[in-house]
Amino acid sequence: EASDSQLIALTRYAENLGLAFQISDDILDVVGDTEKMGKSAGADERLGKLTYPSVYGLEESRRRLEEATGRAVEAAESFGSGGVFLAKLAIDLEKRIS
């Protein structure tokens, strides 16, 4: 029973959260701790995968992560107090690379 504007906001949130997850996962593969990640760091590079850091570099990848997170948070905030959890989820995802 969501309105059209709510569906648009949820779609924007989901697209940007998914993008932020992918970028952070790619960054973690370069700079992350194998023990904390539960997978071998550097695996993407060894497999020759195209990742955000391999295409854009770490600095630009981090900037893109920040932008995607900001767009997700903005979309979540359109739900007022109902979007607090969603916004926090996006922010915590970005913090994974810290």
Side-chain angles (χ1 to χ4, degrees), residues 4 32 34-35 38-39 48 52 56-59 64 68 75 83 94:
D4 288 345
T34 297
E35 243 180 73
K39 69 175 188 174
Y52 272 83
Y56 299 107
L58 275 174
E59 185 178 323
R64 288 172 181 249
E94 182 180 8

Side-chain angles (χ1 to χ4, degrees), residues 2-20 68 71-76 78-79 86:
S3 69
D4 288 345
S5 63
Q6 289 173 322
L7 288 174
I8 289 168
L10 282 173
T11 299
R12 183 176 173 156
Y13 174 81
E15 289 173 346
N16 283 286
L17 184 71
L19 180 60
R71 289 190 300 265
V73 168
E74 182 181 292
S78 71
F79 292 98
L86 296 176

Side-chain angles (χ1 to χ4, degrees), residues 7-80:
L7 288 174
I8 289 168
L10 282 173
T11 299
R12 183 176 173 156
Y13 174 81
E15 289 173 346
N16 283 286
L17 184 71
L19 180 60
F21 179 86
Q22 185 60 60
I23 296 170
S24 67
D25 190 61
D26 288 354
I27 291 170
L28 282 173
D29 191 67
V30 175
V31 302
D33 181 311
T34 297
E35 243 180 73
K36 288 181 182 177
M37 292 188 316
K39 69 175 188 174
S40 176
D44 291 342
E45 184 178 5
R46 285 191 299 279
L47 294 171
K49 290 185 176 181
L50 283 178
T51 63
Y52 272 83
S54 71
V55 172
Y56 299 107
L58 275 174
E59 185 178 323
E60 178 65 13
S61 296
R62 288 177 191 270
R63 188 187 69 72
R64 288 172 181 249
L65 170 60
E66 186 178 313
E67 286 180 352
T69 300
R71 289 190 300 265
V73 168
E74 182 181 292
E77 287 173 345
S78 71
F79 292 98

